[in-house]
Amino acid sequence: MKLLFQYKNAIAILILICLLVLNSTIVLSGLDSNLFGIVFSIVLFLIGGRKTSFNMNYPLLGLIILLEFISYRLHTKSLHFLALSLFACFLYYNLTRKFSFIAFICIFLFSSIFNTFFDYLTVEIKQTLCYGVYLTLKNFLPITKIEGVNFYINNAKITIDTACMGLSMFKTGLLVGAFLLTLEERKQQKLFSIKQIFLFCCLIIALNVISNYFRIITLILLNCTQENTLHHTIGLLCFIFYQIIPMLFFIRFFKPKNEETTIEKTSSSFIFFPTILGSLMLLITSLEIKKELKHDLLEKLNPAYNIKKGKWINNEVFKIATPEKLIYIKTPSHNPLICWTGTGYKIIESKLISSDNERIWQVKMEKNNIQYFSYWWYECDDKKYTSLVEVLLIKLFYNKSVRLVNETSITKLL
């Protein structure tokens, strides 16, 4: 045992390498989707890590256990990758006694949790901003009406596409903010408090909303909602004037006040045993997540759906094509809004409606100047749900089968 404690650093690094090799497929997939963000976070940890009096062992270990519990139950590979990233932070903190809250936030920023959260809210964000623009311009422009993201001006329809929202600038703005905070910490040789970091992040989010708001106004006034050089130039200028310049101004009022503390060396057992516990959790989940998950998508399906006319697209998607409508039976992770947008459809409007005394989603979308109506909901125990969080919690704690049903037609079904 004494020998283990003597070489605990080498053992910790070896454990991490073994876990990364065991999960090589998941790691490569995560790096492929967020390589820049992961590299940026690593650099921030290296240049911005400071000794802190706040003990990060238990919070990090608690987060890892929580993420691994969810990953184990739901076979969520993206959360498992995030747990591996946090375990690397855990080891870095134990080996160096340094930690960067700014870099820690960046890890979540480039995680699948943030991406999924952002993707699911994209339509709602677009509709809310467009309605705000409508209230601003209706007294200055002859806007007949607004329908979701469609503006009708002088009998002409102007559609605010996803590209017009500047969503790609959201992460960029937060990254610039993280860099400015880290630079200020190194300059002052002091640390920002968690409260200061949180407030600055809220400021960046507010600036992003303002930037997108004025970007939409400018694009409508210039009638330039299609992607071209002018469109991208307007987006870049709004990003600079409404995000970067204000950040450079406000950062002067955020001064780090916490001194870098000198931490007494922690006992070997305190470092060693939490590392072993975290390693075991990751190992167990790594082995479980490699097993093929049985989804049971067609179990107790409504007899009205003729599954004999359907076919499997893959093990997570079943398709039924009829002359009246197109039906998809999917796992809950397949958000129809993201899937339709990815295949070239423009989401015009998304709202909750009632069907047989149950709430479902109704989506108006358009492709090649043809309008479609799409209806979707989650099903569990013959009951319909509209919240992904709710059905995932049911699946997480009760291990019940959950599916997503999506019906699409040229005519209005409800």
Side-chain angles (χ1 to χ4, degrees):
M1 186 65 68
K2 185 178 180 181
L3 186 65
L4 289 177
F5 288 142
Q6 184 179 352
Y7 295 101
K8 62 181 183 298
N9 292 356
I11 293 172
I13 295 173
L14 181 62
I15 289 173
L16 179 61
I17 293 173
C18 291
L19 287 171
L20 293 177
V21 171
L22 180 62
N23 297 277
S24 56
T25 304
I26 296 174
V27 172
L28 290 174
S29 176
L31 290 174
D32 182 59
S33 59
N34 285 312
L35 179 61
F36 176 76
I38 293 169
V39 172
F40 186 87
S41 301
I42 293 172
V43 172
L44 280 186
F45 252 109
L46 294 176
I47 68 173
R50 296 288 185 276
K51 291 183 178 179
T52 172
S53 58
F54 191 78
N55 192 326
M56 291 303 302
N57 280 296
Y58 290 126
L60 285 174
L61 190 61
L63 274 174
I64 291 169
I65 292 173
L66 175 63
L67 291 172
E68 290 300 80
F69 170 70
I70 298 172
S71 300
Y72 183 91
R73 296 282 287 178
L74 303 181
H75 279 228
T76 312
K77 294 180 180 179
S78 51
L79 287 184
H80 183 53
F81 176 71
L82 178 59
L84 285 168
S85 302
L86 294 184
F87 186 68
C89 297
F90 173 81
L91 293 180
Y92 175 81
Y93 170 74
N94 276 301
L95 293 176
T96 65
R97 310 308 298 168
K98 293 182 179 180
F99 194 81
S100 171
F101 290 100
I102 300 170
F104 183 70
I105 291 173
C106 285
I107 289 175
F108 278 90
L109 172 64
F110 281 92
S111 70
S112 61
I113 294 178
F114 186 88
N115 290 337
T116 302
F117 175 78
F118 213 86
D119 288 339
Y120 271 81
L121 290 181
T122 293
V123 174
E124 285 73 15
I125 293 171
K126 281 172 36 175
Q127 291 182 175
T128 303
L129 279 176
C130 286
Y131 188 72
V133 170
Y134 165 72
L135 294 177
T136 303
L137 296 180
K138 67 177 183 177
N139 296 323
F140 303 97
L141 292 177
I143 302 177
T144 308
K145 66 174 181 176
I146 179 175
E147 184 183 53
V149 297
N150 281 344
F151 289 82
Y152 293 86
I153 305 175
N154 290 328
N155 298 321
K157 182 175 70 173
I158 298 178
T159 301
I160 303 301
D161 200 359
T162 302
C164 299
M165 299 303 298
L167 298 181
S168 59
M169 295 295 185
F170 187 79
K171 286 186 178 181
T172 308
L174 285 171
L175 282 179
V176 173
F179 178 76
L180 289 175
L181 289 173
T182 303
L183 198 64
E184 193 66 24
E185 281 188 341
R186 288 184 63 85
K187 180 181 173 183
Q188 303 290 336
Q189 292 298 308
K190 293 181 180 180
L191 301 175
F192 284 105
S193 65
I194 298 177
K195 180 181 178 181
Q196 286 177 305
I197 296 172
F198 177 76
L199 287 175
F200 197 73
C201 287
C202 291
L203 174 64
I204 295 172
I205 293 171
L207 290 174
N208 181 264
V209 172
I210 294 170
S211 174
N212 282 326
Y213 173 77
F214 283 105
R215 184 183 188 188
I216 295 173
I217 289 178
T218 306
L219 292 172
I220 291 176
L221 291 176
L222 297 178
N223 193 15
C224 182
T225 55
Q226 299 302 316
E227 290 194 60
N228 52 40
T229 304
L230 179 60
H231 176 97
H232 292 296
T233 302
I234 292 171
L236 185 60
L237 290 174
C238 287
F239 176 69
I240 293 172
F241 283 106
Y242 294 106
Q243 283 190 260
I244 300 300
I245 294 177
M247 270 195 284
L248 292 173
F249 173 77
F250 284 114
I251 193 66
R252 298 184 301 171
F253 301 98
F254 285 81
K255 296 299 180 184
K257 298 178 181 179
N258 295 343
E259 296 286 347
E260 185 174 349
T261 56
T262 303
I263 309 296
E264 292 184 5
K265 191 173 182 180
T266 312
S267 65
S268 299
S269 58
F270 183 75
I271 298 172
F272 186 74
F273 289 112
T275 302
I276 295 300
L277 177 60
S279 303
L280 286 175
M281 288 292 299
L282 287 161
L283 177 61
I284 293 170
T285 305
S286 299
L287 297 175
E288 173 65 24
I289 214 166
K290 286 180 178 291
K291 299 178 183 177
E292 186 176 350
L293 187 64
K294 189 178 179 181
H295 298 293
D296 298 325
L297 291 179
L298 305 182
E299 184 181 358
K300 297 181 181 179
L301 185 66
N302 190 330
Y305 299 116
N306 190 349
I307 60 175
K308 292 182 179 180
K309 293 184 178 180
K311 64 177 182 179
W312 288 98
I313 305 300
N314 53 53
N315 65 341
E316 295 185 356
V317 179
F318 186 78
K319 176 182 176 181
I320 305 174
T322 68
E324 298 81 20
K325 57 186 176 182
L326 182 64
I327 302 165
Y328 283 102
I329 314 296
K330 308 178 181 181
T331 57
S333 59
H334 290 269
N335 188 327
L337 299 179
I338 300 173
C339 295
W340 288 123
T341 303
T343 52
Y345 289 83
K346 292 181 179 179
I347 306 299
I348 305 303
E349 185 179 30
S350 176
K351 63 181 180 180
L352 286 168
I353 63 170
S354 293
S355 174
D356 298 328
N357 296 321
E358 291 187 293
R359 303 287 280 173
I360 65 172
W361 286 101
Q362 175 187 277
V363 180
K364 289 182 182 179
M365 54 190 189
E366 188 177 284
K367 185 177 182 179
N368 299 327
N369 295 319
I370 302 175
Q371 193 171 85
Y372 300 84
F373 295 89
S374 187
Y375 305 85
W376 64 279
W377 59 90
Y378 302 103
E379 277 188 1
C380 180
D381 288 341
D382 298 322
K383 186 177 179 182
K384 295 178 180 178
Y385 298 87
T386 57
S387 170
L388 176 63
V389 175
E390 187 175 5
V391 295
L392 288 182
L393 287 174
I394 292 173
K395 189 173 179 63
L396 180 66
F397 292 107
Y398 300 104
N399 198 28
K400 291 185 177 180
S401 178
V402 179
R403 60 174 161 256
L404 184 148
V405 180
N406 181 203
E407 301 180 3
T408 304
S409 174
I410 294 178
T411 58
K412 207 169 185 178
L413 300 176
L414 297 174

